[in-house]
Amino acid sequence: MARLDGSGNGPLETIGENAGYKTATRGEGAVAGASAVIAGVAGLAKLAGFLRDRSLGIAFGAGSESDAYLVATWLPPLLVAVIVSAVNTSLLPVFTELRVRGENRAAWRLVSAVLNLAVVVSGALMVAGLVWAGDLARLVAPGFDEATTATTALLLKITMPCMVFLTLHAVGSTVLHSFRCFAPPAAGAVLVNAATIAAIVFGAGRWGIGAVALGTVTGYALQAVLLAPFLRGRWGHYSTSLGLRDPNVRRVLVLAAPVTAVAALSQVSGVIEKYLASGLSAGSIAALTFASKLIMLPTGLFAIAVSTVVFPVMAEAASRGDLESVNSSVQRGTRILVYVTLPAVVGLSALRYPVVQALFEKGAFGPEATEATALAVLCYSASMLFKSVEPVFGRAFHAMQDTLTPSAITLAGVPLFGVTAVLLSGPLGHAGIALATSLSSAVVFAVNVALLRRRHHVSPGVTALSSFVLRLVIPCGVMAGVSFAALAAARAIGVGRAIAMLSAVGAGAVAYFVATLVTGVKEARDAVRVFRTVARKVATVAPRSAAH
């Protein structure tokens, strides 16, 4: 079983030595196995997030206190997002390259300097937020009344320290990813949501919304502390220097510059979307928001998981000049994502009405809102496939220590989306905005493929990938047919909407998997091998645990 704990033996088992650094072997299904674990952890985090939101609604309703809390817990992570993005994408390839070359002391000087710089910057932002909390509350939420603004300012003062904790978590996660240890960094979000739920249950009644904010900050602190046991034994020499004269630190800063710009400007598309939708019929923003939550689920569960696993593999291969291995990682990761995302595109498009009804239609969310949201889901759906593979392409650029090209592509996609959305929102309403997302995502995908191949001779294998997509058409058709049959059967029995929807989705997923297994799709066989390996491991460990 590929280990994902703190053992140091990640999903890609290490066997050799090269300049003091273990070189990785890439067994069949290793990426799939590691990605499945991260996706599972991400699924737990999303479930915990749902329970957190439900608990908040039960305790405080949809009132001013909830509004103040949501703003206060959204703003600090947003302010520190540029630091987190820069660390996650710029530190790992340089750090890995130094370790591959056996320059361990230089590698740890680099990590120490980046950690120190990140803490200094996030600490300065925290102090500024504490001083100008009231001004920030009025700036980001000008429509709040005085009482709600005061509550938001108070909660901002409580939540500002989370910026430092997020910074610590970003650096620690990058180090662990370099050692192929993925599960602990991914599990942090579960702790944040769990701590918030605990604060709501045990503290809200006595101390109010302030206790909930404190619980959230505690969760961020636990998220950072969680990494400590896994970093122990791996972390090398620590230096208090900021390393501004260190050429390796300067390399990281140069790589981080375009990533920082993208992180700062990445919210523009969302601003454009809401600006245009606000001029359309009432409920357009809500329909787009609910639909996008459904569409982004595969990306949140699978795309981030796969790109996280293949990034250190590609970074190590790139540092050795092994383009064949970089190509292999890109192609393997892309195939896995297409395998899991394409049926999600087909299934969510086909079952959009029962899915939206089961998840959202209640109270003020009536049939008209369901219709509008389902239409947005249909128009958004194509973007799922393109957006799911985009992180793998971005990581490939980063592994080649090229952060400028993917940043430029992402930024170029913003005006493309804006122009397309303006042209389509007039005749098509909110559906035009969703369709603009799919069209701009397709163009960004094509540009990524072209520039990755032209500049770095790395390709996802477009011809082979196209054949793979065609090979999945029949299994997707089988899945759709079984899903509709299961939905009809569940409705005939008279079960509720949620049970009927879950039955349709579950039956369709099983049918798709069986169909791909029968037709010999490699990813299905890999999934079976991973399951058997896990089952053997559990069967082996369980008797030992019982004996102890």
Side-chain angles (χ1 to χ4, degrees):
M1 170 64 179
R3 297 185 67 176
L4 292 168
D5 54 14
S7 65
N9 299 323
L12 308 175
E13 201 70 27
T14 54
I15 60 172
E17 296 288 337
N18 180 18
Y21 178 67
K22 296 180 179 180
T23 58
T25 62
R26 297 160 184 83
E28 293 293 332
V31 171
S35 301
V37 174
I38 298 178
V41 175
L44 290 176
K46 288 188 175 295
L47 176 60
F50 170 77
L51 295 175
R52 175 205 61 205
D53 294 341
R54 181 174 176 80
S55 300
L56 183 69
I58 292 173
F60 296 98
S64 59
E65 288 184 305
S66 295
D67 289 342
Y69 167 81
L70 292 172
V71 169
T73 53
W74 161 77
L75 186 58
L78 181 68
L79 293 175
V80 81
V82 292
I83 301 175
V84 173
S85 297
V87 169
N88 285 339
T89 58
S90 306
L91 174 60
L92 190 143
V94 180
F95 175 62
T96 301
E97 178 187 319
L98 292 172
R99 293 179 61 233
V100 167
R101 296 204 310 244
E103 300 178 25
N104 291 324
R105 193 166 186 83
W108 291 111
R109 278 201 307 269
L110 170 65
V111 171
S112 299
V114 170
L115 173 63
N116 296 336
L117 285 170
V119 169
V120 167
V121 175
S122 61
L125 288 173
M126 179 189 71
V127 172
L130 292 172
V131 173
W132 290 296
D135 295 319
L136 284 172
R138 286 185 286 271
L139 178 66
V140 300
F144 283 175
D145 57 34
E146 290 187 8
T148 306
T149 299
T151 302
T152 304
L154 174 62
L155 297 182
L156 277 172
K157 292 180 179 179
I158 295 174
T159 56
M160 280 296 166
C162 79
M163 290 195 287
V164 176
F165 299 135
L166 282 167
T167 299
L168 295 173
H169 181 264
V171 177
S173 296
T174 299
V175 172
L176 290 177
H177 289 167
S178 181
F179 283 97
R180 317 292 169 78
C181 182
F182 299 104
V190 179
L191 288 179
V192 175
N193 291 324
T196 303
I197 294 171
I200 294 172
V201 173
F202 300 108
R206 177 174 295 183
W207 296 291
I209 196 68
V212 182
L214 185 60
T216 301
V217 175
T218 302
Y220 281 116
L222 292 174
Q223 177 180 246
V225 171
L226 171 67
L227 303 186
F230 302 94
L231 289 168
R232 187 180 299 120
R234 290 189 175 93
W235 193 281
H237 175 72
Y238 171 74
S239 170
T240 58
S241 171
L242 296 179
L244 295 178
R245 296 183 179 180
D246 187 330
N248 292 316
V249 174
R250 293 182 179 180
R251 284 173 61 199
V252 170
L253 293 177
V254 169
L255 291 172
V259 177
T260 301
V262 169
L265 298 174
S266 60
Q267 304 300 320
V268 174
S269 293
V271 173
I272 294 173
E273 177 182 284
K274 289 177 175 56
Y275 176 83
L276 293 175
S278 65
L280 301 175
S281 59
S284 294
I285 291 178
L288 290 171
T289 300
F290 290 127
S292 64
K293 285 183 180 293
L294 292 175
I295 292 300
M296 292 306 293
L297 184 61
T299 301
L301 290 181
F302 303 112
I304 301 303
V306 172
S307 62
T308 298
V309 172
V310 300
F311 188 27
V313 178
M314 290 189 292
E316 181 190 333
S319 68
R320 299 195 307 267
D322 186 358
L323 284 181
E324 183 179 351
S325 293
V326 176
N327 263 300
S328 177
S329 295
V330 170
Q331 292 167 11
R332 187 186 307 122
T334 303
R335 279 178 61 99
I336 291 172
L337 289 171
V338 169
Y339 176 73
V340 298
T341 305
L342 186 60
V345 173
V346 175
L348 194 54
S349 299
L351 298 174
R352 59 189 182 276
Y353 290 106
V355 168
V356 173
Q357 282 180 330
L359 295 178
F360 299 115
E361 190 172 298
K362 187 176 182 181
F365 198 104
E368 290 185 2
T370 296
E371 184 79 21
T373 303
L375 178 59
V377 167
L378 179 63
C379 294
Y380 268 135
S381 59
S383 68
M384 293 171 65
L385 193 59
F386 301 119
K387 285 184 177 295
S388 68
V389 299
E390 186 177 333
V392 173
F393 295 159
R395 295 299 197 186
F397 279 112
H398 296 154
M400 306 298 290
Q401 299 191 24
D402 177 4
T403 55
L404 181 60
T405 301
S407 300
I409 295 172
T410 300
L411 292 179
V414 173
L416 174 64
F417 163 75
V419 172
T420 309
V422 168
L423 294 175
L424 295 180
S425 61
L428 300 178
H430 76 286
I433 298 175
L435 187 59
T437 299
S438 293
L439 292 175
S440 60
S441 298
V443 174
V444 168
F445 168 84
V447 174
N448 266 307
V449 171
L451 291 183
L452 191 59
R453 182 167 49 192
R454 180 178 179 180
R455 296 198 172 190
H456 302 292
H457 308 289
V458 173
S459 172
V462 176
T463 302
L465 187 62
S466 300
S467 299
F468 182 58
V469 170
L470 292 175
R471 190 176 180 184
L472 296 178
V473 169
I474 293 178
C476 284
V478 172
M479 176 198 68
V482 171
S483 294
F484 277 117
L487 181 64
R491 287 175 172 173
I493 296 174
V495 300
R497 287 175 176 173
I499 300 299
M501 185 267 292
L502 289 174
S503 300
V505 171
V510 171
Y512 173 77
F513 178 72
V514 172
T516 56
L517 192 61
V518 170
T519 55
V521 174
K522 176 180 175 297
E523 283 65 27
R525 298 198 305 268
D526 285 344
V528 172
R529 280 198 293 269
V530 170
F531 176 79
R532 287 176 176 172
T533 303
V534 172
R536 284 197 299 266
K537 188 71 173 180
V538 172
T540 302
V541 172
R544 294 178 182 173
S545 301
H548 288 291

